[in-house]
Amino acid sequence: MTVDEILTLFKESPTDTKVSNVRKVIAAMLRRAKIRFNYKTWMIFDFANTLFMVFTYFLLSFIILPEDIAKAGYGYSYFDFALVGIAISHFITASLRSLALTIRLEQFYGTLESVLSTPTDFVILFMGDLLYYFFYSLIFLIIILPTGIILGSKIVINIWTVLTMLTLITLLVIANLPIGILSAGMVLKFKQGDPIGWALTWINQFFGGTFFPIIILPSFLRFMSLGLPLTYSLDAIRYSLIWGVTLLHERILYDSIVLIIYALIGYPIAIKIFRYIYNSARKEGKIGIY
Amino acid sequence: MSFEEFKETLADEEKIHGLYGFLRKAWASWFYQMKIYVSYRMNLALDIIDIVLSALIYYYVGFLVSTDDLVKLGYTPDYVAFALSGIALSRYLWTTIARLAHKMRHEISAGTFESLAAIDSDNFKSWITGQVFYGSTWSSSTFILTILVGYMLGAKFTRNPFVWVQAIFIVILVIAIHAAIGVMAAGMYIIHKQLETLLVLMISVMEFFGGVIYPLAILWNYPILYYIALLMPFTHGLELFRRTIIDEKPLTDPKILTHLGALCAFAPLIYIGLRVYEYYLMKAKRLGLLSSY
Amino acid sequence: MVDYAIASENLTKIYRGKGFSVTAVDHVNLKIKRGEFYGLLGPNGAGKTTFTKMLATLLIPDEGEAWVDGYSILKEPVEVRKRIGWMMGETGGRALYWRLSGYDNLVFFGMLQNVPKDIAEKRIRVLLKFLELEDAADKLVLEYSTGMRIKLMLIRALLHNPDILILDEPTLGLDVESAIKVRNFLRRLTDELGKTILFTSHNMYEVEQLCDRIAIINKGKIIFEGTPREIREKVEELKVVEIDVISSDSEINDILRKLEAASVVKKILSYERTKNYYKIRVTVEDHYVAIPEIARILKDNKVESISRSLPTLEEAFLKIAGVKIEETSRRIWRRGGHG
Ligand SMILES: Nc1ncnc2c1ncn2[C@@H]1O[C@H](COP(=O)(O)OP(=O)(O)OP(=O)(O)O)[C@@H](O)[C@H]1O
Ligand SMILES: [Mg+2]
């Protein structure tokens, strides 16, 4: 008699069990990974596109004069310069868009309300997704940098530069995340794909200097660049990988401090605005609608 | 309203056959797709940001490019024109090759594909025509915008309208051939769902080998790659397009003729594509796969 | 308020948008005792979902307050969420990760509901078996039928063994057999484990069979509260006779006039044209008297059948609360499908 079985099981078992937050975050990360694995086509496209981008910039570097690159302090190879930019581009997307994507997808699946009706804070889901995108981006990094080296890039890879790079990437994600939180708030409010995240990715790619050193921008545009945390992250990571220096180098130290300041200012503002939008969505009854 | 009134409305229905009916349905498929696009108002803003910023990126990369090298490789020293012409034409790749299959995936998983099949009277040809035109409308708008932004950034595209007529002829040829690949793929997609992966890969490959932002002649350093590049219609299409709008080469130029010949060699695809598509659609109907995920 | 499993006080929700405002829940006061199986009955758009969503802390009310297990939905939402199992059948099973297997969905939500994997596994196993889903457990949810998804959502709501279940039309979309099974199971949950269940539905007969107490909600207002017995008594007073008659469109007015004039007919409720005859519904004082009389009056017409019929929900409402139900335009604000 299964009903009896269920009833005894429920009668005996405790109602106040606990699951630690770390476990929840890991579960959330794995869930995203499993869902994403259903979209193999897009993963393959993503990988192929990024690899072809490396090849493309490798070929492009043949006709590029490295004078401006050298002037900006990034050595004598345009390929090295672009390679680093491409290698970390996924982290930028991850930090700017993963939260907005979470909200968007949960709304689309209709799971947002199911999740919100549990005692677990939504932040857990955010963190799980962020972690997933972080590892996903890491795989790109691990594939792209060696590919670049095979193609002749002279970037310095040793235990110290790798550690420095990972630290700087973590800083990059942390400093960009407030913008990501804001764009998640916009998705909750406007129920449109993730246009702001998209636009931000483009704007960051342009002003952050993924494909050219920002010193060639006219001063009014360079001013915009200096307002973006990505500019400092890219500068520090490039500088470290190209010259083989670590966090202790003053230029990198300076960049890191700027990033930390961004984070310190960014979080309180972003979280406040997000809270506000979230609560007003709860008032208007628009949380689950997509 | 009574049932009688409803019946009267049915009497108005004229029997629509032939070309007119086909066009009307194709128009509907185009129109409602357009409506969906417009309903996401942000899409438009995004596309514009995408176009302007990517143009700007290559405008600034252009500052770094050695014009001497460009000239040595047989192009004009104007890198901005070079890159933007490539980007403009590559806007057609996604919409012509992969969009149809992708769209079908959506319709199938949303369950609307079966509804379409239930009212279908021409093997989806009007639907596909509408969709291809929609894709071309979108791509052409981004194409035109990219070229306009190019002019604004000082790219030296031709200003001769007659040369543009030739350029448009080339663009249409490129669209027709790539759309044929897309239609063929869409038919095969109904049965072979893995194909979508192949399609998106194909786009990356074509874009890479086409030399969108680097001169194809660099591939001479790696002869195998160069020959692979020549196997793709896009490579020839892009070369033709560039030589036309940047160098104003007439169709009679021997180099242009070679590329044109190569591109036309792919023309039978237009016929083959349709046949393959029909074959697979029939097969799918027999196997009952129209709604499977 | 601590004594009740669920209590609401002037709970009100007004949806506002461009150029419209809908009072979906209008000063609702309900008190549901622990261990009670409570039915909230109402037509489409009555405000059932809105009410349950506020209790599940998914919506912030505009006015009023509610307590779940003594915890305020406004001040202690997390405590509330720990104690409830909420599900909404209306989503048709959308509220799951379609690209995860049924099993993965349950384990994941279990964790969010603070159930460790080993405990969750045991519960999932028996519940899947009970609802005959065990074979589908490892398939992706997108391959499920709507009914299967709804069952999965129900398991999800039960997984953390909550004391209070808030089930918004849980049987919507289930076949008859599964619906009966689920209802019996839910009933046993209150009878044997003392769970409190708030159950919404627009099916009067379902609620009447199942619930200890019933509230009827219409246009956001509670218009009746009582036991199924009280409802049944009211409904049984309502004697409806259904007449199927073959008639042309021109004749029908004549037939209706004849019925109106008859003394045994109290009121013509409705008439509608079906495939080949008209279906007329009337109320009568005593059907034993009325049926032969109506047959006599309509002896010149082609009468297919005359029989006593159960009142429809609408007719019952009219009787119970004296309120006419208008079909509200339903869910115009919900856009799109899945995929
Ligand atoms: N997010 C929303 N925005 C605007 N109006 C809404 C919203 N949600 C519900 N409504 C309106 O509020 C009213 C009550 O809706 P609700 O979904 O609570 O009814 P219900 O009793 O659950 O109906 P059903 O039986 O159809 O599920 C309806 O008029 C509906 O149109
Ligand atoms: Mg409802």
Side-chain angles (χ1 to χ4, degrees), chain B residues 11-129:
Chain B
D12 304 339
E13 180 90 339
E14 13 176 344
K15 291 221 155 101
I16 295 158
H17 288 303
L19 187 62
Y20 178 66
F22 179 86
L23 288 180
R24 213 177 64 143
K25 280 186 277 178
W27 158 259
S29 146
W30 179 90
F31 182 75
Y32 288 101
Q33 193 62 49
M34 207 69 195
K35 255 191 136 155
I36 293 172
Y37 175 81
V38 176
S39 78
Y40 290 94
R41 257 161 252 145
M42 295 270 202
N43 274 354
L44 193 66
L46 268 190
D47 282 338
I48 291 173
I49 291 177
D50 173 358
I51 289 163
V52 172
L53 282 183
S54 56
L56 276 175
I57 285 176
Y58 293 103
Y59 174 74
Y60 284 108
V61 168
F63 282 104
L64 307 173
V65 167
S66 147
T67 44
D68 291 349
D69 284 340
L70 259 185
V71 174
K72 242 182 272 162
L73 292 168
Y75 295 89
T76 64
D78 182 358
Y79 180 73
V80 182
F82 177 87
L84 292 193
S85 55
I87 290 171
L89 198 69
S90 71
R91 304 260 182 213
Y92 286 104
L93 277 178
W94 158 259
T95 44
T96 48
I97 294 181
R99 191 181 164 278
L100 260 184
H102 182 69
K103 177 78 193 154
M104 268 189 186
R105 212 237 346 247
H106 265 258
E107 301 261 356
I108 289 173
S109 64
T112 41
F113 199 66
E114 271 199 327
S115 327
L116 284 175
I119 52 167
D120 171 57
S121 56
D122 57 8
N123 287 331
F124 290 95
K125 276 188 206 135
S126 50
W127 182 76
I128 284 192
T129 309

Side-chain angles (χ1 to χ4, degrees), chain B:
Chain B
M1 192 192 83
S2 74
F3 194 76
E4 296 303 320
E5 275 176 275
F6 172 65
K7 276 200 285 196
E8 270 166 38
T9 64
L10 295 182
D12 304 339
E13 180 90 339
E14 13 176 344
K15 291 221 155 101
I16 295 158
H17 288 303
L19 187 62
Y20 178 66
F22 179 86
L23 288 180
R24 213 177 64 143
K25 280 186 277 178
W27 158 259
S29 146
W30 179 90
F31 182 75
Y32 288 101
Q33 193 62 49
M34 207 69 195
K35 255 191 136 155
I36 293 172
Y37 175 81
V38 176
S39 78
Y40 290 94
R41 257 161 252 145
M42 295 270 202
N43 274 354
L44 193 66
L46 268 190
D47 282 338
I48 291 173
I49 291 177
D50 173 358
I51 289 163
V52 172
L53 282 183
S54 56
L56 276 175
I57 285 176
Y58 293 103
Y59 174 74
Y60 284 108
V61 168
F63 282 104
L64 307 173
V65 167
S66 147
T67 44
D68 291 349
D69 284 340
L70 259 185
V71 174
K72 242 182 272 162
L73 292 168
Y75 295 89
T76 64
D78 182 358
Y79 180 73
V80 182
F82 177 87
L84 292 193
S85 55
I87 290 171
L89 198 69
S90 71
R91 304 260 182 213
Y92 286 104
L93 277 178
W94 158 259
T95 44
T96 48
I97 294 181
R99 191 181 164 278
L100 260 184
H102 182 69
K103 177 78 193 154
M104 268 189 186
R105 212 237 346 247
H106 265 258
E107 301 261 356
I108 289 173
S109 64
T112 41
F113 199 66
E114 271 199 327
S115 327
L116 284 175
I119 52 167
D120 171 57
S121 56
D122 57 8
N123 287 331
F124 290 95
K125 276 188 206 135
S126 50
W127 182 76
I128 284 192
T129 309
Q131 290 296 330
V132 168
F133 268 98
Y134 168 78
S136 307
T137 313
W138 181 83
S139 296
S140 299
S141 320
T142 53
F143 170 89
I144 292 168
L145 255 169
T146 306
I147 297 287
L148 285 181
V149 173
Y151 275 122
M152 278 191 267
L153 291 175
K156 293 188 191 62
F157 296 133
T158 179
R159 281 160 200 266
N160 181 341
F162 293 104
V163 177
W164 266 111
V165 171
Q166 178 182 325
I168 289 167
F169 163 71
I170 290 164
V171 170
I172 290 173
L173 205 58
V174 168
I175 296 176
I177 286 168
H178 288 87
I181 300 175
V183 170
M184 180 158 73
M188 292 164 82
Y189 169 78
I190 303 176
I191 290 181
H192 305 290
K193 299 285 190 305
Q194 321 82 303
L195 201 75
E196 204 188 349
T197 314
L198 203 70
L199 286 181
V200 292
L201 264 181
M202 200 155 129
I203 296 168
S204 296
V205 169
M206 282 198 178
E207 198 167 322
F208 170 70
F209 282 105
V212 173
I213 60 164
Y214 67 86
L216 197 62
I218 293 180
L219 280 186
W220 264 120
N221 298 339
Y222 314 92
I224 301 175
L225 295 187
Y226 187 77
Y227 290 120
I228 294 178
L230 292 185
L231 289 177
M232 321 218 166
F234 184 70
T235 311
H236 299 287
L238 182 53
E239 200 61 16
L240 277 169
F241 180 65
R242 262 187 189 140
R243 296 297 181 189
T244 305
I245 67 158
I246 301 176
D247 301 345
E248 304 194 337
K249 289 256 163 65
L251 281 181
T252 47
D253 182 276
K255 255 192 180 157
I256 290 272
L257 272 178
T258 342
H259 286 298
L260 193 63
L263 192 60
C264 288
F266 291 97
L269 270 182
I270 299 173
Y271 177 77
I272 297 170
L274 274 175
R275 279 289 105 86
V276 170
Y277 163 80
E278 276 180 350
Y279 169 77
Y280 273 95
L281 187 69
M282 283 307 159
K283 194 166 164 186
K285 280 187 181 169
R286 264 201 312 273
L287 298 174
L289 288 172
L290 288 184
S291 68
S292 72
Y293 291 96

Side-chain angles (χ1 to χ4, degrees), chain C residues 48-49 90 168-169 331:
Chain C
K48 305 182 292 293
T49 298
E90 183 192 303
D168 187 9
E169 305 202 42
R331 287 178 214 135

Side-chain angles (χ1 to χ4, degrees), chain A residues 103 106-107 110-117 122 188 287-288, chain C residues 58:
Chain A
I103 295 222
E106 302 287 325
Q107 272 178 342
T111 40
L112 189 60
E113 291 190 323
S114 318
V115 170
L116 290 175
S117 75
F122 198 66
L188 196 58
I287 292 185
Chain C
L58 295 171

Side-chain angles (χ1 to χ4, degrees), chain A residues 164-183:
Chain A
T164 305
M165 175 173 67
L166 289 179
T167 316
L168 290 171
I169 286 174
T170 312
L171 267 180
L172 167 139
V173 173
I174 292 175
N176 266 314
L177 210 53
I179 307 179
I181 295 174
L182 283 182
S183 103

